[in-house]
Amino acid sequence: MIVVTGVSGALGGAIFGGLRVAAGTAVAGASSSGGGAGVRHADFDRPETLERAFEGARVLVFVSAGYAEDDVVLARHGAVVRAAAAAGVEHVIYTSLAGSGERLTIALPHRWTEARLAEAPFDVTVLRNALYAEIPAGLALAGVPAAAESGVFAAPLGTGRVSVAAREDLAAVAVRVAAEAWQDVASGGARRHAGRTYELEGVSAVGGHDLAEVLSEVLGRPVAYRPVPLREARAGLAGLEAYQAGHTISTFSNIGAGLLEAGGGDLPAFLDAPRPARDLIAAVVRTGVSSAR
Ligand SMILES: NC(=O)c1ccc[n+]([C@@H]2O[C@H](COP(=O)([O-])OP(=O)(O)OC[C@H]3O[C@@H](n4cnc5c(N)ncnc54)[C@H](OP(=O)(O)O)[C@@H]3O)[C@@H](O)[C@H]2O)c1
């Protein structure tokens, strides 16, 4: 059996759905909120729920649960590693963060988790995921009203670009790796993904000018990009939790410094045609604009 955590989330839900079609074995979901057909209750904040949730799993797809302070995420992820070992899981596939994100504040809990997994008594595959294309898509969408009115798209991206991947593409890779890990565990053959770390960097990069171009295409009027200073951007994040504001500024800061533009990676080895980020962003903006009309 394969168990997938985080199935009420977008990534975990897509992996769960894909594996139910492709895995060739029983697949159970696990979620902090529980509920739903074939979904077990697994709340990383309540370690006592985890061993039972992982019972019978030979392969575990461990989707990170990163929306919290670092100490909370470390406690959550440490509990998952311990429970997987106690439940006798044979192979854990962890969704981490791509190497280009090494200097992001969110890298710390991911790298800590990778280190705990490396010490554990099961095989491990690390899927180092790119930032989602949905992130710049959200920025572009938020910029629609101002761009429509003034022809300006303002964002704190400096002159840098970020390599992003569609969440669906990252889910598709996780589905393939988990299904193959299952085949190898079940057949007793060589475990082709054991001990591997895959850098799933985005194959296309976008920056402020690219997003302004997308807005211009969708809105049918010229739109110019205006870089916003980080100080001004930080003031606009006052409604967020302090840790969220920190992670958000760290992301803008890394993009502005040009650190999130990646050169190559393993994504094309898994997918015939990774979805171009620009098309995905344009589709999100187009949908947002037409549903607002
Ligand atoms: N690569 C990127 O750009 C990027 C961006 C944002 C986040 N991330 C990371 O990738 C993960 C999945 O992304 P997503 O887009 O699917 O996020 P999402 O839709 O917001 O889902 C959040 C995830 O966190 C899990 N979670 C929260 N609290 C939990 C708890 N106490 N115990 C167990 N699970 C808990 C949820 O799982 P349940 O179903 O169990 O509630 C859910 O899978 C995030 O959690 C985050 O660590 C990556």
Side-chain angles (χ1 to χ4, degrees):
M1 168 185 282
I2 302 174
V3 170
V4 183
T5 73
V7 298
S8 69
L11 182 70
I15 297 170
F16 185 40
L19 275 173
R20 285 208 282 191
V21 176
T25 182
V27 183
S31 165
S32 59
S33 46
V39 178
R40 301 170 172 195
H41 182 217
D43 183 347
F44 297 175
D45 293 327
R46 294 181 52 214
E48 69 277 13
T49 64
L50 298 179
E51 206 175 319
R52 188 139 181 234
F54 300 159
E55 208 173 86
R58 297 183 74 184
V59 173
L60 175 70
V61 182
F62 169 16
V63 174
S64 64
Y67 297 117
E69 294 282 4
D70 285 348
D71 56 349
V72 173
V73 180
L74 266 48
R76 284 177 179 171
H77 288 189
V80 172
V81 175
R82 284 191 298 279
V89 173
E90 293 171 59
H91 193 142
V92 172
I93 296 150
Y94 172 62
T95 63
S96 188
L97 173 71
S100 59
E102 204 61 51
R103 295 171 193 79
L104 289 167
T105 49
I106 56 169
L108 185 153
H110 284 296
R111 298 297 177 256
W112 182 91
T113 305
E114 290 179 11
R116 298 290 82 70
L117 287 164
E119 294 161 354
F122 40 68
D123 287 330
V124 175
T125 306
V126 178
L127 302 179
R128 285 187 160 185
N129 286 348
L131 291 185
Y132 301 148
E134 286 76 2
I135 296 173
L139 274 179
L141 192 56
V144 166
E149 200 182 302
S150 64
V152 173
F153 169 63
L157 307 176
T159 53
R161 299 168 102 211
V162 53
S163 299
V164 290
R167 196 160 25 198
E168 272 184 59
D169 282 350
L170 298 169
V173 175
V175 167
R176 177 166 155 198
V177 169
E180 290 178 354
W182 161 258
Q183 286 164 9
D184 295 345
V185 161
S187 68
R191 299 191 178 185
R192 65 198 112 159
H193 298 298
R196 304 294 302 270
T197 293
Y198 297 115
E199 292 286 355
L200 304 176
E201 299 278 11
V203 294
S204 43
V206 291
H209 291 291
D210 304 290
L211 299 182
E213 267 177 40
V214 169
L215 285 166
S216 181
E217 273 162 35
V218 175
L219 296 171
R221 61 157 297 170
V223 176
Y225 169 55
R226 177 176 76 80
V228 171
L230 288 179
R231 188 172 166 188
E232 200 179 303
R234 193 183 291 273
L237 301 176
L240 296 182
E241 296 270 357
Y243 76 85
Q244 290 174 319
H247 291 330
T248 304
I249 287 294
S250 163
T251 305
F252 292 149
S253 185
N254 272 263
I255 295 173
L259 295 170
L260 291 181
E261 191 162 359
D266 297 312
L267 200 60
F270 285 101
L271 299 171
D272 291 338
R275 290 168 175 78
R278 235 181 111 116
D279 293 358
L280 189 147
I281 293 165
V284 167
V285 173
R286 216 169 274 124
T287 306
V289 167
S290 58
S291 63
R293 277 182 184 140

